[in-house]
Amino acid sequence: MRPSIARRAPRLATFVSLAALALIAACSSVSQPVQDFDEYMAQQEAAKGKWKESDFKMPTTAPQDADLISFSTLPNATLDYAIDAKSVEVTREDGVVRYIAVIRSKSGARNVSYEGIHCSSFESRLYATGRPDGTWAPARNSEWRPIKPYGSTAYQGILYRDFLCQDKTPYGSAKDIVQNLRYPTTPAAYR
């Protein structure tokens, strides 16, 4: 004999509820962004080995709060990401944009780093980290690495796409980049 619908309804409702929860959990899980075609092509270009980095100067002073320009990152970001406007430097010979990044937490913790982004290869390099006394410590193993659009360096991917680089070249002069940081031209839906 088949059980009546009245007796099966509680089990069916439980099954439907569990299936709906599983579907919601699967849809809400955080996935890592995949590398897009431009990133892949930029990395392939860099792998050819024709590129040579230009000379640059390490910073000598700590960034001042008045010179920091915050920029948008992920909607759920708990940290404030900023660039020191006075530190932005563009070298056209090698296609690198160098800057001082400042990452601040709501509790007042602060990480300061001197970095570069190579626009044609979608790579970044950490040159030095700032100390609390305003001096700089050269980074160990400072080398060019592919930018990862997720994790602790996801902000570099955002800087690359929205503020520093365009068509695998620097967005413009240092002044143009600072202007773009202050008044972004990228529509908010794409940031």
Side-chain angles (χ1 to χ4, degrees):
M1 230 172 142
R2 294 179 58 175
S4 71
I5 293 181
R7 286 193 316 206
R8 285 189 295 173
R11 280 189 271 157
L12 185 59
T14 302
F15 176 74
V16 170
S17 298
L18 290 174
L21 285 173
L23 181 62
I24 290 170
C27 292
S28 67
S29 68
V30 178
S31 63
Q32 296 180 351
V34 295
Q35 183 180 39
D36 67 16
F37 183 71
D38 285 339
E39 295 167 22
Y40 171 78
M41 291 306 294
Q43 289 173 359
Q44 294 302 312
E45 187 69 28
K48 293 179 183 175
K50 299 177 187 175
W51 177 78
K52 183 179 183 312
E53 185 174 9
S54 297
D55 292 332
F56 60 91
K57 293 179 183 176
M58 295 289 274
T60 56
T61 61
Q64 302 299 310
D65 286 341
D67 298 326
L68 297 180
I69 304 171
S70 293
F71 60 94
S72 301
T73 57
L74 302 173
N76 58 350
T78 58
L79 301 172
D80 176 55
Y81 296 86
I83 297 295
D84 177 10
K86 290 186 176 179
S87 72
V88 176
E89 175 190 353
V90 177
T91 49
R92 289 281 178 192
E93 298 80 30
D94 62 2
V96 174
V97 180
R98 292 179 189 83
Y99 55 89
I100 294 174
V102 179
I103 304 171
R104 300 174 283 197
S105 72
K106 290 181 178 24
S107 65
R110 180 176 162 134
N111 285 333
V112 180
S113 57
Y114 181 56
E115 308 174 351
I117 289 184
H118 185 209
C119 290
S120 70
S121 68
F122 197 70
E123 292 179 304
S124 67
R125 180 177 176 189
L126 174 64
Y127 297 106
T129 55
R131 295 180 178 137
D133 66 359
T135 60
W136 292 89
R140 292 186 213 146
N141 301 323
S142 178
E143 58 188 36
W144 290 100
R145 298 169 195 240
I147 294 172
K148 296 192 182 340
Y150 52 87
S152 63
T153 58
Y155 71 94
Q156 292 173 338
I158 293 166
L159 281 172
Y160 176 92
R161 285 191 183 94
D162 295 345
F163 303 105
L164 305 183
C165 304
Q166 184 177 36
D167 299 325
K168 298 181 194 158
T169 60
Y171 183 80
S173 67
K175 183 178 178 181
D176 295 331
I177 289 173
V178 169
Q179 180 74 6
N180 192 33
L181 281 162
R182 283 196 174 113
Y183 310 104
T185 58
T186 307
Y190 296 104
R191 279 189 255 134

